[in-house]
Amino acid sequence: MRLPPRHRPTLRQLIFWAICCDLGLVCKRLIAPAANLLTDAMRIPGGIATSFSLLFIVIGCEVMPFHYCGTLMGITQGLIMMVLGHTGSMGPLAIIGYSFPGFIVDLLMRLPLVGKLKRAERMAIMNASAAACAAITANIIVFRLTGLTLILYSSTALTAGTICGWASSGIADRIDHYLNKNR
Amino acid sequence: MRKNRTLLICTAALLLLTCALTILHISASSEPVAGEILVRVGSRQYAIPYDSLAAEEVHGTIINGKGEESVINAPGIEIIALLSTINVDPSSIESVSVISADEYHAEIADHELMESEKAYLILWDNSCRLVVFGDSNSKRAVRDVVRIDTVSKAS
Protein backbone atom coordinates (compact mmCIF):
# COMPACT_ATOMS: atom_id res chain seq x y z
CA MET A 1 0.00 0.00 0.00
CA ARG A 2 1.53 3.31 -1.05
CA LEU A 3 1.62 6.18 1.43
CA PRO A 4 -0.91 9.00 0.93
CA PRO A 5 0.48 12.35 -0.28
CA ARG A 6 1.35 14.91 2.41
CA HIS A 7 -0.96 17.90 2.89
CA ARG A 8 -2.06 20.39 5.53
CA PRO A 9 -3.47 18.65 8.61
CA THR A 10 -7.06 19.12 9.74
CA LEU A 11 -8.03 19.99 13.31
CA ARG A 12 -9.18 16.41 13.87
CA GLN A 13 -5.79 15.11 12.79
CA LEU A 14 -3.94 17.58 15.00
CA ILE A 15 -6.01 16.58 18.02
CA PHE A 16 -5.25 12.94 17.31
CA TRP A 17 -1.57 13.87 16.97
CA ALA A 18 -1.59 15.46 20.42
CA ILE A 19 -3.39 12.45 21.91
CA CYS A 20 -0.74 10.14 20.45
CA CYS A 21 2.02 12.18 22.13
CA ASP A 22 0.32 11.88 25.51
CA LEU A 23 -0.69 8.23 25.12
CA GLY A 24 2.89 7.30 24.37
CA LEU A 25 4.09 8.82 27.64
CA VAL A 26 1.23 7.43 29.74
CA CYS A 27 1.56 3.91 28.33
CA LYS A 28 5.29 3.92 28.95
CA ARG A 29 4.70 4.62 32.66
CA LEU A 30 1.97 1.97 32.84
CA ILE A 31 3.90 -0.77 31.04
CA ALA A 32 7.30 -0.05 32.62
CA PRO A 33 6.86 -2.09 35.85
CA ALA A 34 5.85 -5.23 33.94
CA ALA A 35 8.55 -4.69 31.33
CA ASN A 36 11.18 -4.20 34.04
CA LEU A 37 10.28 -7.61 35.52
CA LEU A 38 11.38 -9.12 32.22
CA THR A 39 14.58 -7.09 31.91
CA ASP A 40 15.50 -7.75 35.56
CA ALA A 41 15.25 -11.49 34.84
CA MET A 42 17.47 -10.98 31.78
CA ARG A 43 19.90 -8.89 33.88
CA ILE A 44 19.85 -5.92 31.54
CA PRO A 45 18.73 -2.35 32.24
CA GLY A 46 15.04 -1.57 31.83
CA GLY A 47 13.57 0.31 28.90
CA ILE A 48 11.63 -2.04 26.64
CA ALA A 49 8.51 -0.12 27.60
CA THR A 50 9.90 2.55 25.28
CA SER A 51 9.07 0.27 22.32
CA PHE A 52 5.44 0.42 23.36
CA SER A 53 5.47 4.20 23.61
CA LEU A 54 7.15 4.48 20.19
CA LEU A 55 4.16 2.56 18.79
CA PHE A 56 2.12 5.77 19.05
CA ILE A 57 4.77 7.80 17.25
CA VAL A 58 4.78 5.25 14.44
CA ILE A 59 0.96 5.28 14.25
CA GLY A 60 1.05 9.06 14.19
CA CYS A 61 3.59 9.14 11.35
CA GLU A 62 1.65 6.52 9.39
CA VAL A 63 -1.74 8.26 9.49
CA MET A 64 -0.67 11.92 9.73
CA PRO A 65 -0.18 13.87 6.56
CA PHE A 66 2.70 16.18 7.48
CA HIS A 67 6.48 15.89 7.29
CA TYR A 68 8.73 15.52 10.35
CA CYS A 69 5.74 14.25 12.31
CA GLY A 70 7.89 11.77 14.25
CA THR A 71 10.56 14.31 15.18
CA LEU A 72 7.94 16.80 16.35
CA MET A 73 6.18 14.15 18.41
CA GLY A 74 9.46 13.11 19.98
CA ILE A 75 10.41 16.69 20.83
CA THR A 76 6.93 17.29 22.27
CA GLN A 77 7.19 14.20 24.45
CA GLY A 78 10.67 15.21 25.60
CA LEU A 79 9.50 18.70 26.52
CA ILE A 80 6.49 17.35 28.41
CA MET A 81 8.69 15.03 30.44
CA MET A 82 11.18 17.81 31.16
CA VAL A 83 8.41 20.13 32.33
CA LEU A 84 7.01 17.35 34.56
CA GLY A 85 10.50 16.59 35.87
CA HIS A 86 10.37 12.92 34.84
CA THR A 87 13.58 12.77 32.85
CA GLY A 88 15.03 9.85 34.77
CA SER A 89 18.76 9.22 34.59
CA MET A 90 19.11 11.12 31.30
CA GLY A 91 18.48 14.52 32.85
CA PRO A 92 18.46 17.41 30.35
CA LEU A 93 19.63 15.04 27.62
CA ALA A 94 16.23 13.32 27.73
CA ILE A 95 15.12 15.63 24.90
CA ILE A 96 17.64 13.86 22.67
CA GLY A 97 16.52 10.45 23.91
CA TYR A 98 12.91 11.22 22.99
CA SER A 99 13.40 13.09 19.72
CA PHE A 100 16.03 10.95 18.01
CA PRO A 101 13.80 7.86 17.59
CA GLY A 102 11.11 10.07 16.07
CA PHE A 103 13.69 11.48 13.66
CA ILE A 104 14.64 7.95 12.62
CA VAL A 105 10.99 7.16 11.90
CA ASP A 106 10.76 10.28 9.71
CA LEU A 107 13.91 9.27 7.83
CA LEU A 108 12.55 5.80 7.17
CA MET A 109 9.22 7.23 5.99
CA ARG A 110 11.09 9.14 3.29
CA LEU A 111 12.80 6.06 1.89
CA PRO A 112 11.04 4.88 -1.33
CA LEU A 113 11.81 1.25 -0.49
CA VAL A 114 10.03 1.51 2.87
CA GLY A 115 7.07 3.28 1.28
CA LYS A 116 6.49 0.37 -1.10
CA LEU A 117 6.20 -2.22 1.69
CA LYS A 118 2.91 -3.44 3.15
CA ARG A 119 1.69 -1.37 6.08
CA ALA A 120 2.43 -4.07 8.70
CA GLU A 121 6.00 -4.58 7.47
CA ARG A 122 6.64 -0.85 7.18
CA MET A 123 5.41 -0.12 10.69
CA ALA A 124 7.31 -3.07 12.16
CA ILE A 125 10.55 -1.83 10.57
CA MET A 126 9.95 1.73 11.76
CA ASN A 127 9.09 0.72 15.31
CA ALA A 128 12.00 -1.73 15.54
CA SER A 129 14.46 0.85 14.19
CA ALA A 130 13.16 3.54 16.53
CA ALA A 131 13.35 1.17 19.51
CA ALA A 132 16.91 0.15 18.66
CA CYS A 133 17.84 3.81 18.23
CA ALA A 134 16.30 4.66 21.62
CA ALA A 135 18.21 1.80 23.24
CA ILE A 136 21.54 2.90 21.73
CA THR A 137 20.91 6.53 22.70
CA ALA A 138 20.13 5.51 26.29
CA ASN A 139 23.29 3.40 26.30
CA ILE A 140 25.45 6.29 25.12
CA ILE A 141 23.91 8.77 27.58
CA VAL A 142 23.38 6.58 30.66
CA PHE A 143 24.26 2.90 30.72
CA ARG A 144 27.47 2.55 28.69
CA LEU A 145 27.06 -1.19 28.30
CA THR A 146 29.56 -3.15 26.26
CA GLY A 147 29.94 -6.54 24.63
CA LEU A 148 27.31 -9.22 24.97
CA THR A 149 25.16 -7.15 27.35
CA LEU A 150 24.88 -4.37 24.75
CA ILE A 151 24.04 -6.85 21.98
CA LEU A 152 21.36 -8.44 24.16
CA TYR A 153 19.97 -5.02 25.13
CA SER A 154 19.74 -3.98 21.47
CA SER A 155 18.27 -7.33 20.40
CA THR A 156 15.57 -7.04 23.07
CA ALA A 157 14.71 -3.54 21.84
CA LEU A 158 14.55 -4.75 18.22
CA THR A 159 12.28 -7.68 19.12
CA ALA A 160 9.93 -5.59 21.25
CA GLY A 161 9.87 -2.91 18.55
CA THR A 162 9.01 -5.42 15.82
CA ILE A 163 6.14 -6.91 17.82
CA CYS A 164 4.77 -3.48 18.76
CA GLY A 165 5.10 -2.22 15.20
CA TRP A 166 3.22 -5.20 13.84
CA ALA A 167 0.46 -4.69 16.41
CA SER A 168 0.27 -0.98 15.57
CA SER A 169 -0.57 -1.70 11.93
CA GLY A 170 -3.97 -3.07 12.95
CA ILE A 171 -4.64 0.05 15.02
CA ALA A 172 -3.51 2.31 12.17
CA ASP A 173 -5.90 0.58 9.74
CA ARG A 174 -8.87 1.36 12.01
CA ILE A 175 -7.80 4.89 12.85
CA ASP A 176 -6.96 5.79 9.25
CA HIS A 177 -10.51 4.99 8.19
CA TYR A 178 -12.03 7.44 10.69
CA LEU A 179 -9.33 10.10 10.62
CA ASN A 180 -8.87 10.44 6.88
CA LYS A 181 -12.31 9.41 5.58
CA ASN A 182 -12.94 12.78 3.91
CA ARG A 183 -9.72 12.57 1.86
CA MET B 1 -2.44 -8.01 13.43
CA ARG B 2 -3.14 -9.49 10.02
CA LYS B 3 -1.34 -12.65 8.98
CA ASN B 4 1.98 -11.77 7.44
CA ARG B 5 4.33 -14.63 6.87
CA THR B 6 7.46 -12.51 6.42
CA LEU B 7 6.87 -10.62 9.64
CA LEU B 8 6.06 -13.82 11.49
CA ILE B 9 9.35 -15.38 10.42
CA CYS B 10 11.33 -12.22 11.26
CA THR B 11 9.69 -11.87 14.68
CA ALA B 12 10.25 -15.54 15.48
CA ALA B 13 13.91 -15.23 14.41
CA LEU B 14 14.41 -12.15 16.60
CA LEU B 15 12.75 -13.88 19.55
CA LEU B 16 14.99 -16.92 19.14
CA LEU B 17 18.06 -14.72 18.86
CA THR B 18 17.11 -12.79 21.99
CA CYS B 19 16.48 -16.00 23.93
CA ALA B 20 19.83 -17.43 22.83
CA LEU B 21 21.65 -14.22 23.79
CA THR B 22 19.87 -14.17 27.15
CA ILE B 23 21.01 -17.70 27.92
CA LEU B 24 24.58 -16.84 26.90
CA HIS B 25 24.54 -13.62 28.92
CA ILE B 26 23.21 -15.23 32.09
CA SER B 27 25.59 -18.18 31.89
CA ALA B 28 28.56 -15.88 31.22
CA SER B 29 27.87 -13.50 34.09
CA SER B 30 28.70 -14.53 37.62
CA GLU B 31 25.65 -15.45 39.62
CA PRO B 32 25.28 -12.80 42.32
CA VAL B 33 24.97 -14.42 45.71
CA ALA B 34 22.67 -12.70 48.14
CA GLY B 35 24.56 -11.05 50.97
CA GLU B 36 27.88 -10.89 49.11
CA ILE B 37 29.79 -8.48 46.92
CA LEU B 38 32.08 -9.74 44.21
CA VAL B 39 35.29 -7.74 43.78
CA ARG B 40 37.35 -8.32 40.63
CA VAL B 41 40.98 -7.31 40.60
CA GLY B 42 42.62 -8.31 37.35
CA SER B 43 42.03 -12.02 36.86
CA ARG B 44 41.25 -12.61 40.53
CA GLN B 45 37.86 -12.29 42.14
CA TYR B 46 36.89 -12.12 45.78
CA ALA B 47 33.47 -12.75 47.31
CA ILE B 48 33.05 -10.55 50.38
CA PRO B 49 30.06 -11.21 52.65
CA TYR B 50 28.29 -8.16 54.05
CA ASP B 51 28.79 -9.55 57.59
CA SER B 52 32.57 -9.40 57.23
CA LEU B 53 32.61 -5.72 56.30
CA ALA B 54 33.92 -3.46 59.07
CA ALA B 55 30.98 -1.12 58.61
CA GLU B 56 30.84 2.22 60.36
CA GLU B 57 27.95 4.67 60.61
CA VAL B 58 27.84 6.88 57.52
CA HIS B 59 26.21 10.29 57.83
CA GLY B 60 25.73 12.79 55.04
CA THR B 61 23.44 14.32 52.45
CA ILE B 62 23.11 13.52 48.76
CA ILE B 63 21.30 15.47 46.06
CA ASN B 64 19.29 14.01 43.18
CA GLY B 65 18.84 15.46 39.70
CA LYS B 66 15.86 17.55 40.85
CA GLY B 67 17.87 19.20 43.60
CA GLU B 68 16.09 17.28 46.37
CA GLU B 69 18.26 16.33 49.34
CA SER B 70 18.30 12.91 50.98
CA VAL B 71 19.88 12.25 54.33
CA ILE B 72 22.12 9.20 54.56
CA ASN B 73 22.33 7.59 57.97
CA ALA B 74 23.29 3.94 57.60
CA PRO B 75 26.17 1.52 58.15
CA GLY B 76 28.71 1.43 55.38
CA ILE B 77 32.32 1.22 54.34
CA GLU B 78 34.49 3.41 52.16
CA ILE B 79 35.40 1.80 48.84
CA ILE B 80 39.07 2.33 49.59
CA ALA B 81 38.68 0.51 52.93
CA LEU B 82 36.86 -2.35 51.17
CA LEU B 83 39.77 -2.76 48.75
CA SER B 84 42.22 -2.72 51.65
CA THR B 85 40.43 -5.68 53.28
CA ILE B 86 41.47 -7.84 50.30
CA ASN B 87 45.02 -6.42 50.35
CA VAL B 88 44.62 -4.34 47.22
CA ASP B 89 46.85 -1.28 47.11
CA PRO B 90 44.45 1.60 46.31
CA SER B 91 47.29 3.63 44.77
CA SER B 92 47.60 0.96 42.05
CA ILE B 93 43.98 1.40 41.01
CA GLU B 94 43.10 3.74 38.14
CA SER B 95 39.35 3.48 38.50
CA VAL B 96 36.65 1.37 40.04
CA SER B 97 33.38 0.33 38.42
CA VAL B 98 30.48 -0.37 40.78
CA ILE B 99 27.90 -2.59 39.09
CA SER B 100 24.33 -3.43 40.03
CA ALA B 101 22.34 -6.60 39.32
CA ASP B 102 20.94 -5.14 36.07
CA GLU B 103 24.43 -4.15 34.85
CA TYR B 104 23.93 -0.46 35.54
CA HIS B 105 27.30 0.85 36.64
CA ALA B 106 29.06 3.92 37.94
CA GLU B 107 32.73 4.80 37.73
CA ILE B 108 34.86 6.16 40.55
CA ALA B 109 38.18 7.68 39.58
CA ASP B 110 41.41 7.17 41.52
CA HIS B 111 41.45 10.70 42.99
CA GLU B 112 37.89 10.19 44.27
CA LEU B 113 38.90 6.87 45.82
CA MET B 114 41.72 8.58 47.69
CA GLU B 115 39.51 11.43 48.86
CA SER B 116 38.38 10.92 52.42
CA GLU B 117 34.65 10.49 53.17
CA LYS B 118 33.74 10.52 49.47
CA ALA B 119 32.64 7.13 48.09
CA TYR B 120 30.88 4.61 50.29
CA LEU B 121 29.12 1.31 49.98
CA ILE B 122 26.26 1.45 52.42
CA LEU B 123 24.16 -1.42 53.65
CA TRP B 124 20.59 -0.59 52.82
CA ASP B 125 17.54 -2.85 52.96
CA ASN B 126 19.48 -6.15 52.77
CA SER B 127 21.56 -4.95 49.85
CA CYS B 128 24.45 -2.65 49.09
CA ARG B 129 24.19 0.79 47.62
CA LEU B 130 26.85 3.16 46.30
CA VAL B 131 26.83 6.67 47.73
CA VAL B 132 29.18 9.34 46.38
CA PHE B 133 28.98 12.52 48.43
CA GLY B 134 29.35 15.77 46.56
CA ASP B 135 27.66 14.67 43.33
CA SER B 136 25.14 17.13 41.88
CA ASN B 137 22.77 14.35 40.79
CA SER B 138 21.99 10.73 41.57
CA LYS B 139 23.54 9.13 38.47
CA ARG B 140 26.09 7.33 40.65
CA ALA B 141 23.56 6.23 43.28
CA VAL B 142 23.80 2.59 42.18
CA ARG B 143 21.38 0.37 44.05
CA ASP B 144 21.64 -3.38 44.61
CA VAL B 145 25.40 -3.46 44.05
CA VAL B 146 26.60 -6.99 43.27
CA ARG B 147 30.06 -6.46 41.82
CA ILE B 148 33.02 -4.10 41.85
CA ASP B 149 35.50 -4.20 38.98
CA THR B 150 38.85 -2.50 39.34
CA VAL B 151 41.05 -1.15 36.60
CA SER B 152 44.72 -1.16 37.47
CA LYS B 153 47.13 1.58 36.48
CA ALA B 154 49.42 0.66 33.63
CA SER B 155 52.82 -0.24 35.04
Side-chain angles (χ1 to χ4, degrees):
Chain A
M1 179 185 161
R2 296 187 71 87
L3 291 169
R6 300 280 150 161
H7 56 265
R8 203 172 167 146
T10 62
L11 179 61
R12 185 195 299 171
Q13 288 165 339
L14 285 172
I15 290 170
F16 177 73
W17 184 91
I19 290 171
C20 278
C21 289
D22 294 336
L23 276 176
L25 294 174
V26 168
C27 287
K28 187 176 176 179
R29 304 287 277 190
L30 287 174
I31 299 291
N36 286 344
L37 280 176
L38 196 60
T39 52
D40 284 348
M42 294 165 75
R43 294 195 209 152
I44 56 173
I48 60 170
T50 305
S51 304
F52 196 80
S53 74
L54 290 170
L55 177 158
F56 293 95
I57 290 185
V58 170
I59 289 173
C61 289
E62 180 70 18
V63 301
M64 286 298 135
F66 54 94
H67 295 292
Y68 303 111
C69 178
T71 310
L72 285 171
M73 287 178 82
I75 291 172
T76 305
Q77 287 186 336
L79 287 172
I80 292 172
M81 294 311 272
M82 285 180 76
V83 164
L84 293 175
H86 297 309
T87 54
S89 305
M90 286 197 191
L93 296 175
I95 192 83
I96 299 173
Y98 279 98
S99 54
F100 201 45
F103 176 68
I104 293 295
V105 172
D106 284 333
L107 269 181
L108 286 170
M109 289 286 281
R110 284 178 169 271
L111 293 177
L113 195 64
V114 172
K116 288 176 190 170
L117 293 172
K118 292 179 197 172
R119 174 168 265 176
E121 290 165 4
R122 179 170 59 246
M123 293 182 78
I125 287 173
M126 290 199 295
N127 205 331
S129 305
C133 169
I136 291 166
T137 309
N139 187 54
I140 292 169
I141 295 174
V142 183
F143 302 122
R144 283 165 278 130
L145 305 170
T146 56
L148 185 61
T149 314
L150 175 58
I151 296 171
L152 174 59
Y153 187 59
S154 306
S155 170
T156 309
L158 272 172
T159 307
T162 304
I163 294 170
C164 289
W166 190 2
S168 67
S169 63
I171 301 170
D173 284 339
R174 284 161 175 76
I175 290 169
D176 204 8
H177 174 71
Y178 291 104
L179 206 59
N180 301 316
K181 64 181 175 183
N182 291 329
R183 294 202 176 269
Chain B
M1 282 172 81
R2 290 194 189 146
K3 286 183 184 174
N4 187 312
R5 199 168 172 183
T6 314
L7 262 181
L8 192 63
I9 293 168
C10 289
T11 308
L14 278 171
L15 270 169
L16 277 170
L17 174 67
T18 305
C19 289
L21 287 171
T22 305
I23 292 166
L24 273 173
H25 171 67
I26 290 174
S27 57
S29 61
S30 306
E31 180 74 32
V33 177
E36 279 185 1
I37 297 175
L38 206 63
V39 180
R40 285 188 189 158
V41 183
S43 56
R44 294 166 293 162
Q45 60 185 39
Y46 306 85
I48 304 175
Y50 295 165
D51 300 338
S52 68
L53 295 172
E56 56 186 30
E57 280 301 309
V58 179
H59 305 286
T61 309
I62 55 172
I63 303 171
N64 67 11
K66 298 176 193 174
E68 294 161 352
E69 291 185 352
S70 299
V71 174
I72 300 293
N73 201 357
I77 184 169
E78 284 192 82
I79 304 282
I80 192 170
L82 177 71
L83 294 175
S84 300
T85 63
I86 51 172
N87 299 321
V88 171
D89 180 11
S91 60
S92 69
I93 302 293
E94 183 176 332
S95 68
V96 157
S97 192
V98 180
I99 300 153
S100 74
D102 66 355
E103 297 293 322
Y104 182 72
H105 67 276
E107 308 284 335
I108 301 170
D110 53 352
H111 63 91
E112 290 176 313
L113 271 179
M114 295 302 185
E115 206 176 315
S116 176
E117 296 180 352
K118 177 75 175 173
Y120 285 89
L121 270 183
I122 62 169
L123 300 170
W124 187 280
D125 200 22
N126 295 323
S127 70
C128 257
R129 184 181 155 186
L130 175 67
V131 166
V132 183
F133 292 113
D135 277 359
S136 58
N137 54 46
S138 53
K139 272 190 182 177
R140 293 202 285 183
V142 180
R143 294 172 191 265
D144 197 17
V145 173
V146 294
R147 196 169 86 241
I148 294 174
D149 288 349
T150 62
V151 176
S152 301
K153 285 178 181 169
S155 54

